[in-house]
Amino acid sequence: MSAEAADREAATSSRPCTPPQTCWFEFLLEESLLEKHLRKPCPDPAPVQLIVQFLEQASKPSVNEQNQVQPPPDNKRNRILKLLALKVAAYLKWDLDILEKRAIRTIVQSSFPVKQAKPGPPQLSVMNQMQQEKELTENILKVLKEQAADSILVLEAALKLNKDLYVHTMRTLDLLAMEPGMVNGETESSTAGLKVRTEEMQCQVCYDLGAAYFQQGSTNSAVYENAREKFFRTKELIAEIGSLSLHCTIDEKRLAGYCQACDVLVLSSDSTSQQLTPYSQVHICLRSGSYQEVIQIFIEDNLTLSLPVQFRQSVLRELFQKAQQGNEALDEICFKVCACNTVRDILEGRTISVQFNQLFLRPNKEKIDFLLEVCSRSINLEKASESLKGNMAAFLKNVCLGLDDLQYVFMISSHELFITLLKDEEQKLLVDQMRKRSPRVNLCIKPVTSFYDIPASASVNIGQLEHQLILSVDPWRIRQILIELHGMTSDRQFWTVSNKWEVPSVYSGVILGIKDNLTRDLVYILMAKGLHCSTVKDFSHAKQLFAACLELVTEFSPKLRQVMLNEMLLLDIHTHEAGTGQAGERPPSDLISRVRGYLEMRLPDIPLRQVIAEECVAFMLNWRENEYLTLQVPAFLLQSNPYVKLGQLLAATCKELPGPKESRRTAKDLWEVVVQICSVSSQHKRGNDGRVSLIKQRESTLGIMYRSELLSFIKKLREPLVLTIILSLFVKLHNVREDIVNDITAEHISIWPSSIPNLQSVDFEAVAITVKELVRYTLSINPNNHSWLIIQADIYFATNQYSAALHYYLQAGAVCSDFFNKAVPPDVYTDQVIKRMIKCCSLLNCHTQVAILCQFLREIDYKTAFKSLQEQNSHDAMDSYYDYIWDVTILEYLTYLHHKRGETDKRQIAIKAIGQTELNASNPEEVLQLAAQRRKKKFLQAMAKLYF
């Protein structure tokens, strides 16, 4: 509608109302009221807001017949309106919160969800007007989105400006409206108008660009990286210019939300930010379906309190929605996440959510177990404040009061966390409340002195108590449960409740001979649980259980008291070996004295476990107590304890090792003992045909122990010298058999005898198996021992596994030469080792490698090298290896060979290798040695990369 038409409509209108806005503009323009109002010292802001609305209305674009948005026509009236609009903007100091309604912000704002206003009674005229406004808005948004790319380019270009900007003020606009001759060039000055610092402009532009990129990220996730960059730049600029800038209108809470969302949506490649935030972890887990990891993050967050409660609730809502869409597997996950959130609420003093009460309407054992786990892991009792402990205690008590089934109540009330948090008086009060509430409970039952006097009923039955007995590792709690069980029935043997409770047979006879049933059950269960905890390396609980058992048996049985002292000694050995012993710290002298005391103990009728003696001797060998084992051990022990005898021989051999060969009598004694252990007993049997056949029976009793027992003992040793001696002994024993083709080499192998009088008596098959097991074990102790690696390589070589043999030969050289950056010691790469490497390469058809390795021998094997180079089916890189050859004779032979075959290219490569100045025969010996060493290094490194 034109202005003239609006004037006519207003003039003919009979309603006494405010004239149309265009009439107001005419009136304002004619009377100059706008100018007068804006020039007041403190103008009333309300008319200014009204004027802004007028200006917006007057400058609205129109829509043509083709439904296209048209800008306002360019005429004098609109130019005056534009000038007035600029003056209003200048008056408002260019406040973007009021003025900014252009392309980028409009698009971003349109993407936000808007709460719809409640519709009133339907009116046709109103609905038509709303529909028109909606269509106009959509058309405008369409045009703006088409222009968005250009707008973003302009804003990106603006970020490259590095000087302050100046915008119009009321004065500069007045000068702009004057005649050109009256301005005197003032508006052309770079310092005219209101100054806007570069940092302020960049801060605002970065924020708006970040919002635009973030809005586009819903269709192109890669754009989130741009958004993240812009938002974090905005934060940096705000830190520089301060949050009270006149020209930056940034919602810092929304900015923080943007940054947080970008951290989740964008995985930064920066090496300093590889540690994912909890938000990112949760987001990744949800996308991959790793819901159990989400639960673990939430449990850990109950201690750190880093994730906002609203975020955790939004995760739960998302899981609920997926579960309601038919994914029944998420029902359990929803409960667990809800339980984590509920515990977080409780710790922070909030009430229990309705969702938790709904999900907990039908409790079961799994739900209660998980809830107790979350509660236990969500509070650090040593550091928690009294208020936190009080909140948790009140929650557990309220959960108990809300349960109908008393067996579930007992699960909670017998939990360690419940016992720790609630005082005895509170516990008894809870029991009284449960009694009064339940009609099934007989109130006339005489109360038991302990707290756990929940009366026997259909719900709290013997089976539930037995279940608690199986789970508990608290000695006091175990005692209380047994008291209650024996109070309910007297004809049960509760040490048989679990088939996992195992006590060594040498002890069980003594324990089961205890007359008092309660004491018998308690001693048996405490020992069985202690042994189990020691096996799974839960040494702290094992010590508590053993200490309680020791205190109990001391009152009535000296025999069982010594048994418990022995078991506690073994426990202390395991504790030290698994703890400070791994770092090389020597055991305390008290522990060593106790080990000696055990070995020398001569108490009659004391049941002894063989494993304790085994561990004690291994302990002494591992900590090099050779002096005691060789000189101070009592003679009777050598006769009565085979492990002490074996330990004494090993310790003496270690001591004699540096001496001359003639003085190594102990080594011969040790050899004979091991040969006897590996011997077989023979017996003759007459068959149905009348022939007599020889039958070998393995694991004979000729030795001081069985071979399996010896192997078990060796696998408790960690001292390198002892292991090397044992390994070399078995290697020598393996090599003495007559049908052996390839010997295995080992360190100190020369100290053993070279023959056995009766070869048929030795089970060489068992010896070979033992050697392999020992090498596997020793390399698990130290994978960088070159001597053990050579043994492993020789085993593979002897069994025709040439690629694996090369792997270990190369590894042995690498570990003792800093990956061949230093020369490999000649006692590692002996001629025998090099020859075996040559044979491996030859059998793998890597003939060029054979020729190169022939140079490594103390005397170069030209015959083998030339023969290998004549092979034409080589599987290696052939001429690419020529740079590793330093012997000129081999290079000259290669030149001749390629010339003879007509292989011009390869001949040129060989000639180029010969022509290197460092290989000139006239060079000093040091130069030639250096050239050889450099080529050895590169060749061995190339081989290692090939076979590792």
Side-chain angles (χ1 to χ4, degrees):
M1 183 184 293
S2 65
E4 292 78 8
D7 290 342
R8 287 194 299 271
E9 183 179 346
T12 57
S13 176
S14 59
R15 291 177 294 171
C17 63
T18 304
Q21 292 171 354
T22 50
C23 295
W24 274 104
F25 277 116
E26 302 292 344
F27 178 67
L28 289 170
L29 291 175
E30 291 174 5
E31 300 296 328
S32 299
L33 293 180
L34 175 62
E35 295 273 353
K36 294 177 183 179
H37 185 76
L38 293 179
R39 294 186 187 281
K40 291 180 181 179
C42 295
D44 184 9
V48 175
Q49 297 292 339
L50 182 61
I51 292 166
V52 172
Q53 295 177 15
F54 289 158
L55 290 173
E56 289 176 355
Q57 182 67 24
S59 59
K60 266 190 179 178
S62 58
V63 181
N64 61 15
E65 294 178 354
Q66 286 78 28
N67 206 28
Q68 295 178 341
V69 179
Q70 297 286 336
D74 185 16
N75 52 38
K76 181 179 180 181
R77 173 181 175 278
N78 284 339
R79 283 197 295 273
I80 295 173
L81 285 175
K82 289 177 182 178
L83 182 59
L84 284 175
L86 289 173
K87 288 187 176 181
V88 171
Y91 161 72
L92 295 172
K93 298 196 184 312
W94 301 90
D95 189 335
L96 294 179
D97 281 340
I98 300 175
L99 298 174
E100 183 63 83
K101 301 259 176 137
R102 302 299 295 274
I104 294 301
R105 287 196 171 188
T106 304
I107 295 170
V108 173
Q109 293 291 337
S110 68
S111 68
F112 293 157
V114 179
K115 184 178 180 180
Q116 300 292 335
K118 279 190 175 183
Q123 297 181 9
L124 185 59
S125 59
V126 174
M127 293 177 66
N128 289 338
Q129 182 181 355
M130 291 173 61
Q131 182 63 27
Q132 290 174 3
E133 290 179 355
K134 180 180 179 183
E135 291 176 358
L136 179 60
T137 302
E138 290 175 353
N139 288 327
I140 292 172
L141 282 173
K142 180 181 178 183
V143 173
L144 293 177
K145 287 179 180 178
E146 292 173 355
Q147 299 173 353
D150 294 333
S151 301
I152 289 174
L153 289 175
V154 171
L155 292 176
E156 288 284 6
L159 291 177
K160 299 177 182 178
L161 298 176
N162 56 4
K163 62 181 181 179
D164 297 337
L165 304 178
Y166 292 85
V167 295
H168 280 292
T169 62
M170 294 283 288
R171 170 169 170 71
T172 58
L173 288 171
D174 286 340
L175 293 172
L176 189 67
M178 292 181 183
E179 292 296 330
M182 301 174 63
V183 176
N184 295 325
E186 185 174 348
T187 56
E188 297 174 7
S189 171
S190 61
T191 58
L194 181 64
K195 179 180 177 181
V196 180
R197 292 166 54 196
T198 306
E199 293 82 1
E200 292 179 290
M201 181 272 292
Q202 290 187 348
C203 183
Q204 185 66 55
V205 172
C206 281
Y207 177 73
D208 287 336
L209 275 174
Y213 287 138
F214 191 87
Q215 186 264 339
Q216 293 176 355
S218 59
T219 56
N220 182 7
S221 58
V223 184
Y224 282 126
E225 180 64 42
N226 296 339
R228 183 180 185 274
E229 178 186 348
K230 293 297 184 289
F231 285 134
F232 279 85
R233 177 58 180 158
T234 304
K235 288 178 67 175
E236 293 174 0
L237 289 168
I238 287 177
E240 290 181 21
I241 64 179
S243 57
L244 299 178
S245 171
L246 293 174
H247 306 294
C248 284
T249 55
I250 294 173
D251 186 345
E252 293 193 38
K253 289 185 178 179
R254 186 180 291 274
L255 173 62
Y258 275 134
C259 292
Q260 185 174 294
C262 288
D263 271 340
V264 173
L265 296 170
V266 179
L267 292 179
S268 174
S269 59
D270 186 5
S271 60
T272 60
S273 58
Q274 290 297 319
Q275 189 67 28
L276 296 176
T277 64
Y279 294 100
S280 303
Q281 292 175 354
V282 172
H283 184 73
I284 292 170
C285 292
L286 289 175
R287 283 193 297 182
S288 61
S290 304
Y291 300 117
Q292 294 296 338
E293 294 184 22
V294 175
I295 293 168
Q296 295 305 316
I297 293 172
F298 276 22
I299 293 176
E300 293 170 4
D301 183 64
N302 284 351
L303 281 172
T304 60
L305 306 179
S306 58
L307 292 174
V309 176
Q310 295 81 359
F311 174 75
R312 295 171 59 126
Q313 291 173 346
S314 68
V315 172
L316 180 59
R317 283 195 298 270
E318 181 179 340
L319 293 173
F320 267 129
Q321 290 172 0
K322 291 182 180 179
Q324 290 170 358
Q325 292 169 0
N327 192 345
E328 296 180 358
L330 287 180
D331 290 343
E332 180 186 354
I333 300 297
C334 288
F335 168 76
K336 291 185 175 181
V337 173
C338 185
C340 294
N341 288 353
T342 300
V343 173
R344 167 74 177 270
D345 291 338
I346 293 303
L347 291 173
E348 295 186 333
R350 289 185 292 273
T351 57
I352 300 175
S353 65
V354 177
Q355 290 174 328
F356 178 77
N357 289 329
Q358 290 175 341
L359 292 172
F360 207 59
L361 280 176
R362 296 181 179 177
N364 55 35
K365 177 186 176 297
E366 289 74 20
K367 287 184 177 181
I368 292 176
D369 280 340
F370 179 77
L371 184 62
L372 290 172
E373 179 191 353
V374 175
C375 291
S376 300
R377 293 176 57 186
S378 299
I379 185 170
N380 187 336
L381 293 175
E382 296 179 358
K383 299 180 181 179
S385 63
E386 292 302 321
S387 62
L388 278 181
K389 293 179 182 178
N391 291 342
M392 183 64 78
F395 171 64
L396 293 175
K397 187 164 63 174
N398 289 333
V399 171
C400 287
L401 291 171
L403 293 171
D404 293 329
D405 196 331
L406 293 182
Q407 63 176 332
Y408 296 148
V409 175
F410 187 76
M411 286 180 64
I412 298 174
S413 63
S414 61
H415 195 272
E416 183 180 359
L417 179 65
F418 185 92
I419 298 169
T420 304
L421 291 176
L422 270 76
K423 299 177 182 177
D424 292 343
E425 296 78 10
E426 294 177 305
Q427 296 172 4
K428 291 178 181 178
L429 180 61
L430 176 62
V431 173
D432 292 338
Q433 290 175 321
M434 298 302 297
R435 280 179 179 163
K436 294 175 183 177
R437 193 187 69 178
S438 176
R440 295 170 295 177
V441 177
N442 184 358
L443 299 179
C444 298
I445 294 178
K446 182 179 179 180
V448 186
T449 55
S450 71
F451 154 67
Y452 301 94
D453 63 345
I454 297 178
S457 65
S459 299
V460 183
N461 50 28
I462 292 176
Q464 181 58 36
L465 285 171
E466 289 177 344
H467 175 74
Q468 292 299 314
L469 186 63
I470 293 172
L471 295 178
S472 181
V473 289
D474 178 18
W476 182 84
R477 179 74 193 109
I478 292 170
R479 178 176 179 274
Q480 296 299 319
I481 294 174
L482 283 172
I483 290 173
E484 293 198 36
L485 286 170
H486 279 274
M488 294 176 181
T489 177
S490 59
D491 57 351
R492 289 284 304 275
Q493 295 180 336
F494 293 105
W495 62 270
T496 62
V497 165
S498 173
N499 58 6
K500 302 292 184 183
W501 293 341
E502 296 179 357
V503 168
S505 57
V506 292
Y507 298 158
S508 59
V510 181
I511 296 174
L512 297 181
I514 299 174
K515 295 181 179 180
D516 181 71
N517 292 340
L518 174 60
T519 305
R520 178 200 60 209
D521 289 343
L522 186 55
V523 172
Y524 189 97
I525 293 172
L526 288 174
M527 177 175 282
K529 284 179 174 286
L531 291 170
H532 172 74
C533 288
S534 179
T535 302
V536 299
K537 301 188 185 303
D538 184 2
F539 299 126
S540 59
H541 280 123
K543 194 159 191 174
Q544 293 175 11
L545 292 160
F546 281 167
C549 192
L550 175 63
E551 183 180 357
L552 178 63
V553 299
T554 300
E555 300 175 357
F556 65 88
S557 175
K559 185 182 295 186
L560 285 176
R561 178 181 179 277
Q562 188 59 51
V563 165
M564 292 312 305
L565 288 174
N566 296 344
E567 290 297 330
M568 293 186 76
L569 170 62
L570 180 60
L571 177 63
D572 288 342
I573 291 175
H574 288 164
T575 304
H576 179 267
E577 297 294 272
T580 56
Q582 287 187 332
E585 182 178 333
R586 282 190 62 80
S589 56
D590 171 66
L591 182 57
I592 296 175
S593 299
R594 289 167 58 199
V595 170
R596 292 181 178 181
Y598 175 82
L599 292 175
E600 298 170 9
M601 182 176 60
R602 300 186 68 176
L603 295 175
D605 301 328
I606 298 296
L608 299 174
R609 276 212 296 161
Q610 178 177 288
V611 68
I612 302 181
E614 187 180 348
E615 291 281 359
C616 285
V617 174
F619 177 82
M620 299 296 276
L621 286 171
N622 286 334
W623 295 105
R624 296 175 291 280
E625 291 291 325
N626 297 335
E627 196 72 22
Y628 170 79
L629 288 172
T630 54
L631 300 177
Q632 300 175 23
V633 67
F636 76 91
L637 274 179
L638 299 176
Q639 305 299 324
S640 61
N641 193 322
Y643 294 102
V644 174
K645 174 68 175 176
L646 184 62
Q648 188 262 344
L649 291 173
L650 284 169
T653 304
C654 290
K655 284 186 63 178
E656 293 177 359
L657 195 59
K661 187 175 182 180
E662 297 77 24
S663 65
R664 297 172 188 163
R665 294 182 178 178
T666 313
K668 184 179 180 182
D669 294 340
L670 179 59
W671 169 266
E672 291 175 353
V673 166
V674 173
V675 168
Q676 208 169 26
I677 292 174
C678 295
S679 296
V680 293
S681 60
S682 304
Q683 64 182 32
H684 295 81
K685 181 178 180 181
R686 187 179 297 276
N688 295 331
D689 57 354
R691 296 180 180 179
V692 177
S693 58
L694 182 66
I695 299 176
K696 291 185 177 181
Q697 183 177 355
R698 306 275 173 90
E699 297 281 339
S700 74
T701 57
L702 298 176
I704 61 174
M705 63 181 69
Y706 290 115
R707 185 184 64 87
S708 57
E709 293 174 333
L710 173 61
L711 188 60
S712 173
F713 171 73
I714 295 173
K715 288 185 177 181
K716 292 178 172 60
L717 300 173
R718 292 182 295 100
E719 171 60 26
L721 180 58
V722 177
L723 289 173
T724 299
I725 287 174
I726 294 174
L727 193 53
S728 67
L729 188 155
F730 273 96
V731 166
K732 184 67 175 181
L733 188 57
H734 172 272
N735 291 342
V736 297
R737 59 190 298 182
E738 294 176 343
D739 58 343
I740 195 73
V741 177
N742 295 305
D743 283 353
I744 300 175
T745 57
E747 199 173 2
H748 306 306
I749 200 169
S750 61
I751 68 173
W752 312 113
S754 56
S755 62
I756 298 176
N758 186 7
L759 284 174
Q760 289 75 21
S761 64
V762 178
D763 187 353
F764 285 108
E765 183 180 345
V767 170
I769 294 173
T770 305
V771 170
K772 292 179 182 179
E773 289 190 27
L774 288 179
V775 173
R776 190 181 303 116
Y777 170 71
T778 53
L779 288 176
S780 70
I781 297 295
N782 182 7
N784 294 325
N785 186 302
H786 64 83
S787 174
W788 300 344
L789 289 167
I790 292 290
I791 295 174
Q792 180 67 82
D794 284 349
I795 291 173
Y796 281 125
F797 181 82
T799 54
N800 303 329
Q801 300 179 65
Y802 302 114
S803 180
L806 271 175
H807 169 90
Y808 282 98
Y809 284 134
L810 289 166
Q811 190 172 345
V815 299
C816 61
S817 64
D818 190 19
F819 196 67
F820 304 112
N821 285 305
K822 301 175 184 175
V824 180
D827 61 333
V828 177
Y829 274 3
T830 61
D831 271 7
Q832 180 178 339
V833 170
I834 297 297
K835 287 178 181 178
R836 290 188 172 185
M837 293 174 70
I838 289 171
K839 186 173 182 181
C840 288
C841 291
S842 176
L843 292 171
L844 292 171
N845 287 331
C846 297
H847 301 296
T848 313
Q849 295 174 6
V850 170
I852 297 172
L853 284 170
C854 286
Q855 302 174 109
F856 284 65
L857 295 169
R858 286 180 174 83
E859 294 184 4
I860 299 176
D861 186 355
Y862 289 111
K863 180 180 179 180
T864 303
F866 292 166
K867 184 179 179 181
S868 65
L869 291 173
Q870 291 172 6
E871 297 287 343
Q872 292 187 307
N873 63 336
S874 184
H875 292 171
D876 57 22
M878 297 185 68
D879 51 332
S880 65
Y881 280 111
Y882 290 177
D883 285 340
Y884 304 135
I885 301 176
W886 63 87
D887 184 78
V888 177
T889 304
I890 294 177
L891 287 171
E892 288 175 344
Y893 180 78
L894 274 172
T895 306
Y896 160 75
L897 198 62
H898 289 313
H899 175 72
K900 183 179 178 182
R901 293 175 180 171
E903 298 169 342
T904 307
D905 293 342
K906 294 182 178 180
R907 179 173 176 269
Q908 289 300 321
I909 295 173
I911 291 173
K912 182 180 178 182
I914 295 176
Q916 297 177 80
T917 56
E918 58 186 356
L919 297 184
N920 193 318
S922 301
N923 289 334
E925 185 65 24
E926 295 81 5
V927 175
L928 295 174
Q929 289 293 334
L930 185 62
Q933 186 57 41
R934 186 181 297 114
R935 283 161 175 75
K936 282 183 180 180
K937 165 190 166 182
K938 291 182 178 179
F939 173 70
L940 290 173
Q941 287 178 341
M943 289 279 284
K945 292 177 181 177
L946 186 63
Y947 288 98
F948 280 5

